[in-house]
Amino acid sequence: MAIRNIVLFGDDILKKECRPVEKFDRKLHQLLDDMQDTLYDANGAGLAAPQVGVLRQICIVDVGEGPIELINPEIIATEGNQIGPEGCLSLPNEWGEVSRPMKVTVRAQNRKGKWFEISGEELCARAFCHEIDHLHGIVFTEKANRMLTPEELEAMKEK
Ligand code: NI
């Protein structure tokens, strides 16, 4: 268990395509455990492997219902639309208004390599999309309609 350094926006690592995971071994489990520690230490809703410098298709989402580990994830269905604020641990204190599906179904492998499907709505759907984007070198700023102003950020913090 260890907290890893989070790669910040501007680093080329965040623009790269991640390779699929092929080995579901102890090294992967170690990485997942470390990513979980790193996510909770940073108080985030999700973290992708490239954000800790590993170019593999691995991410974790936790919107308050426990950690969901997604390995080699793929979005297989979407429904509806939502527009709302979105942030990223690689861009502390910057938020953007991003349009995402309201509901998303993901197919992924767990840490043992077993395939499963999971659906998420609202914040969970947003987090799935955001983290899976990271695995393809996409940061939310590319998809944001606009970035939030400092005043809007202040108002958000007070909530
Ligand atoms: Ni992010």
Side-chain angles (χ1 to χ4, degrees):
M1 304 277 266
I3 292 162
R4 301 207 183 187
N5 284 329
I6 295 178
V7 172
L8 293 178
F9 185 69
D11 194 311
D12 273 349
I13 284 182
L14 296 178
K15 293 186 193 163
K16 292 186 177 157
E17 179 72 24
C18 293
R19 284 174 297 153
V21 171
E22 281 153 13
K23 286 187 199 156
F24 295 81
D25 55 6
R26 261 190 59 186
K27 202 178 156 200
L28 173 69
H29 297 173
Q30 183 67 61
L31 172 64
L32 284 162
D33 291 344
D34 288 355
M35 282 175 66
Q36 215 178 101
D37 287 347
T38 307
L39 175 65
Y40 296 143
D41 178 67
N43 253 320
L47 185 70
Q51 290 182 280
V52 293
V54 177
L55 286 169
R56 289 285 182 178
Q57 292 179 18
I58 303 162
C59 59
I60 303 185
V61 165
D62 190 339
V63 293
E65 291 161 6
I68 302 165
E69 295 176 346
L70 303 172
I71 296 158
N72 301 328
E74 192 190 345
I75 293 172
I76 55 170
T78 65
E79 225 179 282
N81 184 57
Q82 58 173 320
I83 295 171
E86 193 166 312
C88 179
L89 293 176
S90 293
L91 284 95
N93 303 316
E94 286 194 60
W95 288 69
E97 186 188 88
V98 187
S99 172
R100 299 285 192 186
M102 183 53 97
K103 187 179 173 188
V104 167
T105 304
V106 175
R107 183 173 183 263
Q109 283 168 286
N110 69 12
R111 62 164 65 201
K112 290 177 178 168
K114 190 171 185 290
W115 287 98
F116 66 100
E117 284 182 19
I118 186 166
S119 295
E121 291 184 41
E122 299 185 28
L123 182 58
C124 188
R126 180 177 292 285
F128 283 161
C129 293
H130 178 112
E131 299 312 326
I132 291 170
D133 273 353
H134 272 302
L135 307 183
H136 303 290
I138 299 164
V139 176
F140 81 96
T141 49
E142 284 179 48
K143 291 195 166 174
N145 305 327
R146 63 181 188 89
M147 298 305 285
L148 299 194
T149 64
E151 291 75 25
E152 286 173 311
L153 277 179
E154 269 313 304
M156 216 171 69
K157 276 184 203 158
E158 281 164 17
K159 274 186 193 166

